[in-house]
Amino acid sequence: MIGERALRELKDVLPVETDPDALATYGRDWTRVYDPAPSAVVFPRSTAEVSAVLAICHRHGVAVVPSGGRTGLAGGAVAKDGELVLSLERMRAIGPVDTIGGTVHVEAGAITEAVHQAVEEHDLSWPIDFASKGSSHVGGNIATNAGGVKVIRYGLTRQWVLGLTVVLADGTVLDLDAALEKNNTGVDLRQLFIGSEGTLGVITEATLKLARAPGHLDVFFFGVDSLAGVLRVFEAARKGPFVISAFEMLTDRCLARLERHRGLRSPLEADAPCFVLLEVEAHDRDALDAWLESVVERELVLDGVLAAGLEQARSLWTLREGISESLSATGLPHKNDVALPIAALTDFCRELEEVFEARYPGWEICLFGHIGDGNLHINVMKPDDMGKEAFLERVHEADRSIFELVAKHHGSISAEHGIGLLKRDGLGYSRSAPEIAVMRAMKAALDPKGILNPGKVFAERDPAQ
Ligand code: ZN
C-alpha cells in the first residue's frame, strides 16, 4: 500500500489515478488468472518524471509495477498487492529515424506496430513481430525480450536494441543510449536490463536497430500427417531455394477453435492433423513452384498451397495469428510456452500426449507455435464440465509434468513469454541454483529494497534459498 506521505509527495510531481476502473484496467495483463488490486496508477511523461516517482517510492518503500501494453501472458505486469502501477503509455514519441545508421529513437510507451509503420516509409523495419503488436509497447518488448513469428530469421528483441535509458529503483538515470554497434568497454549493461521483466530498472527510452525492409514475401500453407512430418518439411524448407522468414505450426484442434470463433477454415481440400505456415523471401517464383511440387511428390505433405497474392497471404497468416484469440474466446486456455531442441520435439509431444492421456483423460490440448525455433505453445483447455478454480488447481499440477518433460529434453519452460508470476515456481526446471543465486545477487545490488516488480521472476523471500 502507499502511505499518506508518499502519496502527497507523488501528487506534487504528477497526477495520481485511483479510480477503481483504472485500477482494474492497469492492474492486469492478458494473463486472466490474477485479480488486479493496485493502489494507484501514475502516467509519467518523461524520464525525469519516472526518476522522481521512483526516488519517492524508494524512500518510502512503495512497490512499483512498471507497465506497458499489458499484453504479456506470464503475469509480469500484474499488480495484485496494492502496488503503484507506473504506466509508460504517455511516453510514446517515435523518431527521429537515422537512415544512415539504420536506427530509430523511441520512448518506451511507443506501440510496436506504430514503430513498424514509422520506419516503413524509409524502407526499414524493426523486425519484432507478433499477434499483439497493435497493443504492445516497445518498452515491454525490451523488458521481456519478446520473440514472435520472425525469430527464425532475425532473432529475439535483444538483437535489435542498440541503446537504452533506464531508471534504477532509487531514481538514478542510467544513460546507456550511446547507440553504438561496437562498444567494448566492460560489461554490457543494456543486456542486463533486456529480459529482466522490470525487476532491475525501468526502461524509459531506447534506440532500436533497424533492418532493411524485406522485399516480397511468399507464403505456403501445408497439411501434414504428423509432427514428425512437420519436422521433415522443415528440413526440406531449410534446403529450399529461399530464405525462411517464418515456420509456424498449428494443429487441427487449433483450427477447429478458429472456425468456431471466426468461421475461418483451412484452404486445403484434405484434412490433416497438423498444418504448417511457411513464409519465405525468394527471388524466383518458378523455383518456388518447383519446390512446392517436389514436397508434394515426395509425399512430405498431404496437401499444400502457395498464396497467389498479398490478400491470400494475409488470410493464411490470419489462420495462425487468430489462434490465441480464438482459444480464449471459445474456452479457458492454460498457456505454456516452452522451447526444445528441434530434434527433440517429436518425442516431447508424444510423451506429452501420453502423460495427459494417462492422468488427465479427455482434456483438450491445442498445440501451435514457432516450430522453426523449437518453440511450442501448449494450450491446455478447461474441460467444459469443470469449474475454473478446480481447473487452475489441477492444471498447476499438470504444469509440473510438462516442466519435467521439458527439463528431461533439455528445453526451457519459457521460450518467449518470460517468467513473471505465472512461471516463477518452475524457474528451477530451467535455471540452476547457482544461476538463480547470481540473479538474486544482481536484484539485491540494483534494488536493495525490492520495490521493483516484487515477486516477479522469483519470490521475494524464498525460504528455499
Ligand atoms: Zn509466440
Side-chain angles (χ1 to χ4, degrees):
M1 295 306 288
I2 308 175
E4 276 303 311
R5 268 190 62 195
L7 201 58
R8 262 203 318 275
E9 288 180 32
L10 283 170
K11 283 179 176 168
D12 284 342
V13 175
L14 76 183
V16 177
E17 178 68 77
T18 53
D19 170 68
D21 286 345
L23 297 184
T25 303
Y26 288 92
R28 74 178 348 160
D29 59 15
W30 282 6
T31 324
R32 287 291 185 256
V33 180
Y34 309 100
D35 294 325
S39 292
V41 190
V42 290
F43 301 92
R45 290 176 181 274
S46 64
T47 296
E49 280 192 1
V50 173
S51 166
V53 167
L54 287 181
I56 293 165
C57 292
H58 186 255
R59 258 200 316 279
H60 296 282
V62 174
V64 177
V65 175
S67 184
R70 304 183 316 285
T71 56
L73 295 166
V78 166
K80 61 179 186 61
D81 295 310
E83 303 94 328
L84 175 73
V85 174
L86 194 161
S87 169
L88 280 305
E89 74 176 26
R90 305 246 166 107
M91 291 182 65
R92 50 175 181 249
I94 300 174
V97 179
D98 173 353
T99 53
I100 295 176
T103 65
V104 61
H105 184 266
V106 299
E107 289 185 322
I111 304 274
T112 312
E113 194 168 34
V115 173
H116 293 171
Q117 287 159 356
V119 303
E120 211 174 63
E121 60 183 279
H122 302 280
D123 218 19
L124 293 165
S125 90
W126 192 52
I128 307 304
D129 193 2
F130 37 74
S132 59
K133 64 191 167 203
S135 312
S136 79
H137 291 185
V138 168
N141 299 159
I142 297 171
T144 58
N145 187 29
V149 293
K150 298 289 170 75
V151 174
I152 189 169
R153 171 81 172 84
Y154 295 101
L156 292 160
T157 299
R158 84 167 64 249
Q159 267 103 313
W160 298 94
V161 178
L162 279 186
L164 281 185
T165 303
V166 179
V167 184
L168 298 181
D170 66 358
T172 303
V173 177
L174 286 188
D175 180 1
L176 312 171
D177 206 5
L180 298 170
E181 187 72 59
K182 300 179 97 169
N183 180 10
N184 229 347
T185 51
V187 171
D188 188 340
L189 295 176
R190 296 168 309 177
Q191 295 296 343
L192 187 62
F193 295 99
I194 299 173
S196 69
E197 302 189 40
T199 62
L200 300 180
V202 177
I203 294 160
T204 57
E205 297 170 53
T207 299
L208 309 176
K209 178 175 167 169
L210 303 173
R212 188 174 167 180
H216 176 73
L217 296 172
D218 279 294
V219 178
F220 294 95
F221 195 77
F222 296 119
V224 186
D225 64 356
S226 63
L227 190 75
V230 169
L231 296 183
R232 282 193 291 273
V233 176
F234 182 55
E235 205 178 356
R238 293 189 106 167
K239 296 173 187 159
F242 43 65
V243 174
I244 300 174
S245 78
F247 190 95
E248 302 281 315
M249 188 275 294
L250 48 140
T251 59
D252 54 347
R253 289 174 190 159
C254 297
L255 216 52
R257 294 267 177 179
L258 195 72
E259 187 173 356
R260 252 166 77 188
H261 177 51
R262 299 192 41 184
L264 299 173
R265 303 194 57 169
S266 155
L268 306 177
E269 283 178 18
D271 285 334
C274 296
F275 298 91
V276 167
L277 184 150
L278 167 64
E279 185 187 76
V280 301
E281 288 172 50
H283 301 292
D284 185 347
R285 175 84 194 198
D286 290 342
L288 285 184
D289 287 331
W291 183 79
L292 175 60
E293 236 169 74
S294 85
V295 290
V296 174
E297 257 168 32
R298 285 150 66 198
E299 297 184 352
L300 290 178
V301 302
L302 298 168
D303 199 356
V305 290
L306 172 56
L310 213 55
E311 203 175 311
Q312 199 189 359
R314 261 197 217 111
S315 70
L316 292 176
W317 262 115
T318 309
L319 297 177
R320 166 61 188 85
E321 297 214 302
I323 295 174
S324 212
E325 174 202 319
S326 300
L327 298 185
S328 300
T330 58
L332 177 68
H334 172 73
K335 292 173 174 295
N336 264 298
D337 159 44
V338 303
L340 290 142
I342 297 177
L345 276 169
T346 312
D347 285 346
F348 173 83
C349 289
R350 197 195 58 244
E351 288 168 35
L352 182 75
E353 289 274 347
E354 284 166 6
V355 166
F356 271 81
E357 265 163 32
R359 293 193 214 157
Y360 312 97
W363 286 30
E364 181 185 351
I365 306 177
C366 292
L367 284 180
F368 66 96
H370 322 289
I371 290 299
D373 306 314
N375 180 185
L376 264 187
H377 292 316
I378 305 168
N379 288 259
V380 181
M381 305 301 294
K382 182 183 81 63
D384 290 337
D385 57 357
M386 189 180 282
K388 182 181 167 183
E389 290 306 315
F391 172 66
L392 289 177
E393 201 173 296
R394 292 210 63 198
V395 88
H396 195 69
E397 162 202 313
D399 277 351
R400 302 268 142 200
S401 313
I402 295 175
F403 294 168
E404 277 164 24
L405 273 184
V406 168
K408 179 185 153 192
H409 291 285
H410 307 290
S412 165
I413 63 154
S414 184
E416 58 173 0
H417 292 174
I419 293 294
L421 279 175
L422 200 64
K423 297 290 176 293
R424 157 183 110 168
D425 296 342
L427 187 62
Y429 285 96
S430 289
R431 305 298 293 264
S432 67
E435 282 180 285
I436 294 172
V438 172
M439 289 200 259
R440 280 185 180 282
M442 292 194 298
K443 171 74 173 169
L446 290 172
D447 180 17
K449 294 187 175 177
I451 64 163
L452 281 180
N453 225 3
K456 311 293 164 55
V457 184
F458 36 67
E460 275 309 272
R461 272 172 281 276
D462 184 347
Q465 289 291 317

